[in-house]
Amino acid sequence: MREFPPNMNPEAFTITAIIVGLLLEDDYTSDELNSIGNWLILVGQLVLTTAAQQQLINNRYQNNSGSRIKSDAHDHSIKNKPLAKQSDVEDIMRRLELLERNLK
């Protein structure tokens, strides 16, 4: 499937879709065509949504623009800092132990 869609003229590519649509039209009832058409639209929406989200992520990482989240993910020479330090985890554990003792 790596060769689809083929590298061809956009107008010719569109015309192939028109031809396939016209060929399907003669073989099915209007109810069947409605069902097939809705299914194809759903597939298209899934593909477009997935591609749009991937494109958004790629653009944010490449340009770090349009993002409200400060990220150095586009710059692989900088390591992202951990969200929590070991001292934070130890502090939470101490507080949980104290809370547990108070509850008993």
Side-chain angles (χ1 to χ4, degrees), residues 6 13 15 22 24 26 35 38 40 42 45 52 54 56 74-75 80 87-89 103:
F13 189 63
I15 290 171
L22 290 172
L24 285 175
D26 289 337
S35 180
N38 280 309
L40 288 171
L42 178 60
Q45 287 174 332
Q54 187 61 54
L56 172 71
H74 68 288
D75 186 353
N80 288 329
S87 61
D88 295 330
V89 174
L103 289 173

Side-chain angles (χ1 to χ4, degrees), residues 53-81:
Q53 185 64 19
Q54 187 61 54
Q55 186 177 18
L56 172 71
I57 291 167
N58 291 346
N59 286 338
R60 283 182 176 170
Y61 281 147
Q62 287 174 0
N63 304 325
N64 199 22
S65 63
S67 174
R68 295 188 185 122
I69 301 170
K70 175 101 172 88
S71 173
D72 293 323
H74 68 288
D75 186 353
H76 298 293
S77 65
I78 300 172
K79 289 193 172 196
N80 288 329
K81 295 177 184 169

Side-chain angles (χ1 to χ4, degrees), residues 2-52:
R2 288 283 179 203
E3 299 299 318
F4 188 83
N7 293 333
M8 65 187 296
N9 179 298
E11 289 83 11
F13 189 63
T14 302
I15 290 171
T16 60
I18 292 169
I19 292 169
V20 169
L22 290 172
L23 290 172
L24 285 175
E25 200 174 63
D26 289 337
D27 293 334
Y28 297 99
T29 68
S30 60
D31 288 337
E32 291 168 335
L33 286 171
N34 194 15
S35 180
I36 293 167
N38 280 309
W39 184 83
L40 288 171
I41 289 170
L42 178 60
V43 170
Q45 287 174 332
L46 174 68
V47 171
L48 290 171
T49 301
T50 302

